[in-house]
Amino acid sequence: MTLSPGPVPLYHQLEQDLRERINAREFKAGEALPTEERICGEYGVSRITVRRALETLIAEGLITKRRGVGTFVTPPPESGVRSVRLSGSLDEFLASAGALATKVLSMQEIQAPDEAVRGLRLAPGEACTRLDLLSFLEDAPLGYHNLYLPLAIGRKIKPVDVGQKLPVIRMVEGKAGARVVRAEQFLEADIAGPIASKYLNLQENTPVLKVTRIYYDMTGAPVEMIVARNHPERYRYSIDFVAKPRIV
Amino acid sequence: MTLSPGPVPLYHQLEQDLRERINAREFKAGEALPTEERICGEYGVSRITVRRALETLIAEGLITKRRGVGTFVTPPPESGVRSVRLSGSLDEFLASAGALATKVLSMQEIQAPDEAVRGLRLAPGEACTRLDLLSFLEDAPLGYHNLYLPLAIGRKIKPVDVGQKLPVIRMVEGKAGARVVRAEQFLEADIAGPIASKYLNLQENTPVLKVTRIYYDMTGAPVEMIVARNHPERYRYSIDFVAKPRIV
């Protein structure tokens, strides 16, 4: 296919065409996309154009870049599982998240637990940095957070960097020299458990909302993973759905 | 203030001005807005213009219309509570929600329980219609739902109307002759409890995600409230946050 000069920018035409080819399963889930060079040749466009198109598809989560390996079509969700997937603006989310008062409980390098291996795409047994945090709202404990960082990023951060009136990820971006373009957030129910219950003054078996959020950079690599358990009476999670206005 | 003819439609100018007056607390939380007639007079615009401006503010949740009483400024969230509030498209949500296989377990007129009194804004002791539903995914039970309807709407619906390859609220809209313009959804952690655990084949104390969703019509009146408890292994709730692209 050749792209045509005109009002629609080339990178946008390319992005649309690649999206269609992925949706038509010409490139299948889990498989690699052609290299940037091949895409340049096939469409007769520059490397910059190809990169811009791929960046958009990465930001949408349709493809994933593995550094030094290639770009792969993101596999679809498992069968037998209902996935309710919403989308939102990261900038607005972080602006509204604002800066809670945060206390660092501990910071250490550990062998990554399973959830961090999966979330940060580490090798089994690989080490990572773990920060345990407690957030406060009007002096009352609000959330108990486990924050995981790849070791290379964790080593650039000190406990004193946390809680400087900035969402933690913004501080991490600065220290790591990364730019976060996307985050995935999962919501589950859990019990408070022995540790969070202590910090949040709850019974161990109190149901709490467990929020897992993974931030990704422009290459699709995970930069930070945070697992939060929140106080059920001080944390509300709501979504407003608005219908498209109809002209009256 | 007088509105000026020009490229920005009058209803949009009016909507902006009312929003600013609410945000400036000239109209305070819980207080009534001036009547439509007074707003017409004050701004020198038609009733249609006023209604369109108010509709947008109602859809945003900034004001609430109580039929036959007036329009009120929605109170802000309580203090000491962290409200994470996202927004999304109702049309897209319902399209993705699609039609799960649904079985009606029971339908009855009952004295509204507390959550329905609050959600549907009923008088204490007032009756409502309650439908208990079980949804399935690939023949496995996915969610146990309590659906509450104002009596006037519930009486237009029969159990056989449910589960006709249409999200339940779309069927309710049709039967009630209402148009849903907004929904509010709350997410909490809960335990499955004695009833949902039976239908979902879980232990009673298994933590489950409890999703409460209230649908509102154009006047801001609640049309349906649904409380769902979902199977933790078959129901994933995720949100993709995407950063505004920067020009490279």
Side-chain angles (χ1 to χ4, degrees), chain B residues 135-156:
Chain B
S135 64
F136 293 85
L137 187 67
E138 295 166 21
D139 297 330
L142 179 70
Y144 170 75
H145 308 254
N146 307 124
L147 198 143
Y148 300 101
L149 299 165
L151 216 51
I153 295 179
R155 290 193 170 157
K156 294 180 182 165

Side-chain angles (χ1 to χ4, degrees), chain A residues 7 50 80 148 152 177 182-183 212:
Chain A
V50 173
Y148 301 101
R182 190 168 80 89
T212 303

Side-chain angles (χ1 to χ4, degrees), chain A residues 7-44:
Chain A
V8 181
L10 287 176
Y11 67 86
H12 194 59
Q13 293 181 49
L14 176 59
E15 170 207 317
Q16 300 265 47
D17 198 63
L18 290 172
R19 190 185 291 109
E20 279 167 24
R21 293 173 74 182
I22 292 166
N23 289 337
R25 298 184 182 234
E26 182 182 334
F27 308 126
K28 294 187 184 61
E31 286 185 7
L33 282 191
T35 60
E36 288 181 10
E37 289 87 343
R38 282 195 67 153
I39 300 175
C40 291
E42 189 181 344
Y43 288 88

Side-chain angles (χ1 to χ4, degrees), chain A residues 103-219:
Chain A
K103 185 178 156 187
V104 177
L105 301 170
S106 67
M107 177 169 182
Q108 52 190 319
E109 293 184 2
I110 57 162
Q111 185 183 319
D114 283 353
E115 63 181 1
V117 167
R118 281 193 308 274
L120 296 179
R121 295 192 212 129
L122 304 175
E126 202 176 334
C128 72
T129 303
R130 172 171 164 165
L131 270 151
D132 292 341
L133 306 170
L134 194 58
S135 64
F136 293 86
L137 187 68
E138 295 166 21
D139 296 332
L142 179 70
Y144 170 75
H145 310 255
N146 307 125
L147 197 144
Y148 301 101
L149 299 165
L151 216 51
I153 295 178
R155 289 193 169 159
K156 294 180 180 163
I157 286 162
K158 294 187 210 76
V160 72
D161 298 327
V162 175
Q164 304 301 310
K165 291 276 170 207
L166 204 67
V168 176
I169 186 61
R170 292 301 192 203
M171 177 276 289
V172 169
E173 271 187 302
K175 295 283 177 184
R179 188 161 81 75
V180 166
V181 298
R182 190 168 80 89
E184 263 183 302
Q185 177 164 293
F186 305 93
L187 298 168
E188 297 165 83
D190 197 2
I191 55 164
I195 303 172
S197 63
K198 195 181 75 180
Y199 287 110
L200 301 177
N201 302 318
L202 297 169
Q203 301 290 320
E204 274 196 44
N205 60 357
T206 306
V208 297
L209 208 55
K210 178 182 166 190
V211 181
T212 303
R213 195 159 50 246
I214 307 172
Y215 294 95
Y216 299 92
D217 70 10
M218 297 180 74
T219 70

